[in-house]
Amino acid sequence: MRILIALVFIISIVGCKSPEARYPVSQNSGSYIDESVERNKEMIAQEEDYIKQVMGKNTDTEYLNSADGFWYYYNNKSTDSTNTRTPEFGDIVVFDYTISSIEGEPIYAEGEKPTREYAMDKEKLFTGLRQGLKLMKTGETVTFLFPSHKAFGYYGDQEKIGSNEPITAKVTLHEIKEESNQEPKN
């Protein structure tokens, strides 16, 4: 009888033990992510080198380097000293644009894309163009050279622009409407 009581006592103690966590059979070290980051850095460096080569062939143009990682030049720069306003968050901008390959081959020619009204940083627009518009004043035309990660990236635009394709966008800013002056839509 003592053996039976001892056995029940041991089983009850072992049965009350809290469960131990099970560890996964395989653990991911993160090396795939590290390799992907390295591949992307190399791709970006190659694209930027290629864009610089293209710019180097056009010595008549004064290219400016943006702090956001793309290049641009003015086709038509405002000389009006009173025209100093650039778009800010929420402003409505009205603009036209064309898109070409970095080599200058048209992808979306003039008139293929309709005149666009865009609420700054409130609507969907590819990163480079959104950042480029913030550098412009009314009446200016600017040509931007975007590496693919500032343009349409890995997926392209699902129409004419392919995967990881750097582009040139020529943009004319027609109007900036302040957010506070907007009438509510019914």
Side-chain angles (χ1 to χ4, degrees), residues 4 30 41 54 76 78 92 95 98 113 130 135-136 148 152 162 173 183-184:
L4 186 58
K41 284 180 181 179
V54 169
N76 179 27
S78 176
I92 304 296
F95 65 95
T98 62
K113 291 280 190 183
R130 188 175 64 244
L135 302 172
M136 299 179 69
S148 65
F152 293 92
L173 181 58
E183 294 181 20

PDB file of all heavy atoms in Angstrom, residues 4 30 41 54 76 78 92 95 98 113 130 135-136 148 152 162 173 183-184:
ATOM      1  N   LEU A   4       1.949   2.113  -3.449  1.00  0.00           N
ATOM      2  CA  LEU A   4       0.878   2.705  -4.231  1.00  0.00           C
ATOM      3  C   LEU A   4       0.683   4.177  -3.861  1.00  0.00           C
ATOM      4  O   LEU A   4       0.531   5.031  -4.737  1.00  0.00           O
ATOM      5  CB  LEU A   4      -0.426   1.925  -4.001  1.00  0.00           C
ATOM      6  CG  LEU A   4      -1.616   2.333  -4.865  1.00  0.00           C
ATOM      7  CD1 LEU A   4      -1.300   2.213  -6.340  1.00  0.00           C
ATOM      8  CD2 LEU A   4      -2.825   1.507  -4.504  1.00  0.00           C
ATOM      9  N   GLY A  30      18.250  34.629 -40.583  1.00  0.00           N
ATOM     10  CA  GLY A  30      18.119  35.960 -41.172  1.00  0.00           C
ATOM     11  C   GLY A  30      19.083  36.183 -42.320  1.00  0.00           C
ATOM     12  O   GLY A  30      19.177  37.275 -42.849  1.00  0.00           O
ATOM     13  N   LYS A  41      21.305  46.830 -52.509  1.00  0.00           N
ATOM     14  CA  LYS A  41      22.316  47.894 -52.459  1.00  0.00           C
ATOM     15  C   LYS A  41      23.163  47.888 -53.727  1.00  0.00           C
ATOM     16  O   LYS A  41      23.468  48.945 -54.288  1.00  0.00           O
ATOM     17  CB  LYS A  41      23.213  47.727 -51.231  1.00  0.00           C
ATOM     18  CG  LYS A  41      22.573  48.137 -49.934  1.00  0.00           C
ATOM     19  CD  LYS A  41      23.537  47.941 -48.778  1.00  0.00           C
ATOM     20  CE  LYS A  41      22.940  48.312 -47.446  1.00  0.00           C
ATOM     21  NZ  LYS A  41      23.889  48.090 -46.343  1.00  0.00           N
ATOM     22  N   VAL A  54      24.881  58.536 -68.060  1.00  0.00           N
ATOM     23  CA  VAL A  54      23.973  59.201 -68.998  1.00  0.00           C
ATOM     24  C   VAL A  54      24.073  60.715 -68.814  1.00  0.00           C
ATOM     25  O   VAL A  54      24.137  61.468 -69.797  1.00  0.00           O
ATOM     26  CB  VAL A  54      22.521  58.704 -68.805  1.00  0.00           C
ATOM     27  CG1 VAL A  54      21.530  59.561 -69.577  1.00  0.00           C
ATOM     28  CG2 VAL A  54      22.403  57.240 -69.215  1.00  0.00           C
ATOM     29  N   ASN A  76      12.435  74.895 -67.618  1.00  0.00           N
ATOM     30  CA  ASN A  76      11.885  76.243 -67.524  1.00  0.00           C
ATOM     31  C   ASN A  76      11.828  76.601 -66.045  1.00  0.00           C
ATOM     32  O   ASN A  76      11.015  76.050 -65.310  1.00  0.00           O
ATOM     33  CB  ASN A  76      10.488  76.299 -68.159  1.00  0.00           C
ATOM     34  CG  ASN A  76       9.870  77.668 -68.057  1.00  0.00           C
ATOM     35  OD1 ASN A  76      10.560  78.672 -67.986  1.00  0.00           O
ATOM     36  ND2 ASN A  76       8.538  77.705 -68.034  1.00  0.00           N
ATOM     37  N   SER A  78      11.348  79.417 -62.986  1.00  0.00           N
ATOM     38  CA  SER A  78      10.669  80.675 -62.711  1.00  0.00           C
ATOM     39  C   SER A  78      11.696  81.748 -62.367  1.00  0.00           C
ATOM     40  O   SER A  78      12.564  81.552 -61.520  1.00  0.00           O
ATOM     41  CB  SER A  78       9.693  80.509 -61.549  1.00  0.00           C
ATOM     42  OG  SER A  78       9.114  81.750 -61.223  1.00  0.00           O
ATOM     43  N   ILE A  92      -3.253  71.267 -53.221  1.00  0.00           N
ATOM     44  CA  ILE A  92      -3.645  70.606 -54.469  1.00  0.00           C
ATOM     45  C   ILE A  92      -2.746  71.167 -55.564  1.00  0.00           C
ATOM     46  O   ILE A  92      -2.676  72.385 -55.754  1.00  0.00           O
ATOM     47  CB  ILE A  92      -5.125  70.871 -54.827  1.00  0.00           C
ATOM     48  CG1 ILE A  92      -6.050  70.456 -53.687  1.00  0.00           C
ATOM     49  CG2 ILE A  92      -5.491  70.194 -56.139  1.00  0.00           C
ATOM     50  CD1 ILE A  92      -6.055  68.992 -53.372  1.00  0.00           C
ATOM     51  N   PHE A  95      -0.702  69.404 -62.535  1.00  0.00           N
ATOM     52  CA  PHE A  95       0.514  69.243 -63.322  1.00  0.00           C
ATOM     53  C   PHE A  95       0.308  68.274 -64.477  1.00  0.00           C
ATOM     54  O   PHE A  95      -0.618  67.473 -64.489  1.00  0.00           O
ATOM     55  CB  PHE A  95       1.673  68.763 -62.442  1.00  0.00           C
ATOM     56  CG  PHE A  95       1.495  67.384 -61.858  1.00  0.00           C
ATOM     57  CD1 PHE A  95       2.032  66.267 -62.471  1.00  0.00           C
ATOM     58  CD2 PHE A  95       0.780  67.203 -60.681  1.00  0.00           C
ATOM     59  CE1 PHE A  95       1.873  65.005 -61.938  1.00  0.00           C
ATOM     60  CE2 PHE A  95       0.613  65.945 -60.127  1.00  0.00           C
ATOM     61  CZ  PHE A  95       1.152  64.828 -60.764  1.00  0.00           C
ATOM     62  N   THR A  98       5.402  63.661 -68.583  1.00  0.00           N
ATOM     63  CA  THR A  98       5.713  62.588 -69.513  1.00  0.00           C
ATOM     64  C   THR A  98       6.756  61.709 -68.846  1.00  0.00           C
ATOM     65  O   THR A  98       7.473  62.161 -67.947  1.00  0.00           O
ATOM     66  CB  THR A  98       6.277  63.121 -70.844  1.00  0.00           C
ATOM     67  OG1 THR A  98       7.501  63.811 -70.588  1.00  0.00           O
ATOM     68  CG2 THR A  98       5.301  64.064 -71.530  1.00  0.00           C
ATOM     69  N   LYS A 113      -0.763  60.858 -70.627  1.00  0.00           N
ATOM     70  CA  LYS A 113      -1.213  60.947 -69.239  1.00  0.00           C
ATOM     71  C   LYS A 113      -2.034  62.228 -69.122  1.00  0.00           C
ATOM     72  O   LYS A 113      -1.582  63.297 -69.513  1.00  0.00           O
ATOM     73  CB  LYS A 113      -0.018  61.016 -68.269  1.00  0.00           C
ATOM     74  CG  LYS A 113       0.778  59.731 -68.177  1.00  0.00           C
ATOM     75  CD  LYS A 113       0.073  58.770 -67.282  1.00  0.00           C
ATOM     76  CE  LYS A 113       0.926  57.575 -66.963  1.00  0.00           C
ATOM     77  NZ  LYS A 113       0.217  56.609 -66.153  1.00  0.00           N
ATOM     78  N   ARG A 130       6.394  62.505 -56.151  1.00  0.00           N
ATOM     79  CA  ARG A 130       5.865  63.205 -54.968  1.00  0.00           C
ATOM     80  C   ARG A 130       6.938  64.119 -54.372  1.00  0.00           C
ATOM     81  O   ARG A 130       6.674  65.268 -54.035  1.00  0.00           O
ATOM     82  CB  ARG A 130       5.380  62.172 -53.949  1.00  0.00           C
ATOM     83  CG  ARG A 130       4.655  62.763 -52.784  1.00  0.00           C
ATOM     84  CD  ARG A 130       4.080  61.725 -51.847  1.00  0.00           C
ATOM     85  NE  ARG A 130       5.127  60.944 -51.217  1.00  0.00           N
ATOM     86  CZ  ARG A 130       5.301  59.630 -51.382  1.00  0.00           C
ATOM     87  NH1 ARG A 130       4.493  58.946 -52.152  1.00  0.00           N
ATOM     88  NH2 ARG A 130       6.267  59.007 -50.763  1.00  0.00           N
ATOM     89  N   LEU A 135       9.774  70.422 -54.931  1.00  0.00           N
ATOM     90  CA  LEU A 135      10.876  71.319 -55.301  1.00  0.00           C
ATOM     91  C   LEU A 135      10.450  72.382 -56.315  1.00  0.00           C
ATOM     92  O   LEU A 135      11.219  73.287 -56.615  1.00  0.00           O
ATOM     93  CB  LEU A 135      12.031  70.502 -55.912  1.00  0.00           C
ATOM     94  CG  LEU A 135      12.623  69.400 -55.038  1.00  0.00           C
ATOM     95  CD1 LEU A 135      13.611  68.567 -55.839  1.00  0.00           C
ATOM     96  CD2 LEU A 135      13.288  69.997 -53.823  1.00  0.00           C
ATOM     97  N   MET A 136       9.235  72.255 -56.837  1.00  0.00           N
ATOM     98  CA  MET A 136       8.812  73.090 -57.956  1.00  0.00           C
ATOM     99  C   MET A 136       7.952  74.276 -57.536  1.00  0.00           C
ATOM    100  O   MET A 136       7.303  74.250 -56.501  1.00  0.00           O
ATOM    101  CB  MET A 136       8.045  72.235 -58.971  1.00  0.00           C
ATOM    102  CG  MET A 136       8.863  71.115 -59.570  1.00  0.00           C
ATOM    103  SD  MET A 136       7.926  70.103 -60.746  1.00  0.00           S
ATOM    104  CE  MET A 136       7.707  71.277 -62.092  1.00  0.00           C
ATOM    105  N   SER A 148      15.118  53.279 -60.014  1.00  0.00           N
ATOM    106  CA  SER A 148      13.872  52.499 -59.949  1.00  0.00           C
ATOM    107  C   SER A 148      13.212  52.520 -58.579  1.00  0.00           C
ATOM    108  O   SER A 148      11.985  52.516 -58.483  1.00  0.00           O
ATOM    109  CB  SER A 148      14.123  51.057 -60.384  1.00  0.00           C
ATOM    110  OG  SER A 148      14.981  50.401 -59.481  1.00  0.00           O
ATOM    111  N   PHE A 152       8.951  53.194 -59.968  1.00  0.00           N
ATOM    112  CA  PHE A 152       7.923  52.167 -59.803  1.00  0.00           C
ATOM    113  C   PHE A 152       8.456  50.869 -59.212  1.00  0.00           C
ATOM    114  O   PHE A 152       7.721  49.902 -59.080  1.00  0.00           O
ATOM    115  CB  PHE A 152       7.232  51.909 -61.142  1.00  0.00           C
ATOM    116  CG  PHE A 152       6.425  53.096 -61.606  1.00  0.00           C
ATOM    117  CD1 PHE A 152       6.988  54.052 -62.439  1.00  0.00           C
ATOM    118  CD2 PHE A 152       5.126  53.274 -61.189  1.00  0.00           C
ATOM    119  CE1 PHE A 152       6.256  55.155 -62.852  1.00  0.00           C
ATOM    120  CE2 PHE A 152       4.379  54.371 -61.597  1.00  0.00           C
ATOM    121  CZ  PHE A 152       4.951  55.318 -62.427  1.00  0.00           C
ATOM    122  N   GLY A 162       8.704  48.464 -66.786  1.00  0.00           N
ATOM    123  CA  GLY A 162       9.074  47.150 -66.276  1.00  0.00           C
ATOM    124  C   GLY A 162       9.644  47.180 -64.867  1.00  0.00           C
ATOM    125  O   GLY A 162       9.760  48.225 -64.228  1.00  0.00           O
ATOM    126  N   LEU A 173       4.444  72.109 -63.681  1.00  0.00           N
ATOM    127  CA  LEU A 173       3.530  72.444 -62.588  1.00  0.00           C
ATOM    128  C   LEU A 173       2.726  73.677 -62.985  1.00  0.00           C
ATOM    129  O   LEU A 173       3.274  74.759 -63.158  1.00  0.00           O
ATOM    130  CB  LEU A 173       4.308  72.708 -61.292  1.00  0.00           C
ATOM    131  CG  LEU A 173       3.494  73.043 -60.050  1.00  0.00           C
ATOM    132  CD1 LEU A 173       2.504  71.927 -59.724  1.00  0.00           C
ATOM    133  CD2 LEU A 173       4.411  73.277 -58.867  1.00  0.00           C
ATOM    134  N   GLU A 183     -12.683  74.260 -51.270  1.00  0.00           N
ATOM    135  CA  GLU A 183     -14.081  74.148 -50.896  1.00  0.00           C
ATOM    136  C   GLU A 183     -14.387  72.676 -50.679  1.00  0.00           C
ATOM    137  O   GLU A 183     -13.917  71.823 -51.418  1.00  0.00           O
ATOM    138  CB  GLU A 183     -14.953  74.699 -52.016  1.00  0.00           C
ATOM    139  CG  GLU A 183     -14.777  76.182 -52.216  1.00  0.00           C
ATOM    140  CD  GLU A 183     -15.676  76.710 -53.337  1.00  0.00           C
ATOM    141  OE1 GLU A 183     -16.665  76.032 -53.681  1.00  0.00           O
ATOM    142  OE2 GLU A 183     -15.370  77.783 -53.855  1.00  0.00           O
ATOM    143  N   PRO A 184     -15.194  72.373 -49.661  1.00  0.00           N
ATOM    144  CA  PRO A 184     -15.537  70.958 -49.436  1.00  0.00           C
ATOM    145  C   PRO A 184     -16.339  70.409 -50.595  1.00  0.00           C
ATOM    146  O   PRO A 184     -17.186  71.091 -51.160  1.00  0.00           O
ATOM    147  CB  PRO A 184     -16.347  70.981 -48.147  1.00  0.00           C
ATOM    148  CG  PRO A 184     -16.756  72.393 -47.932  1.00  0.00           C
ATOM    149  CD  PRO A 184     -15.815  73.269 -48.714  1.00  0.00           C
TER     150      PRO A 184
END
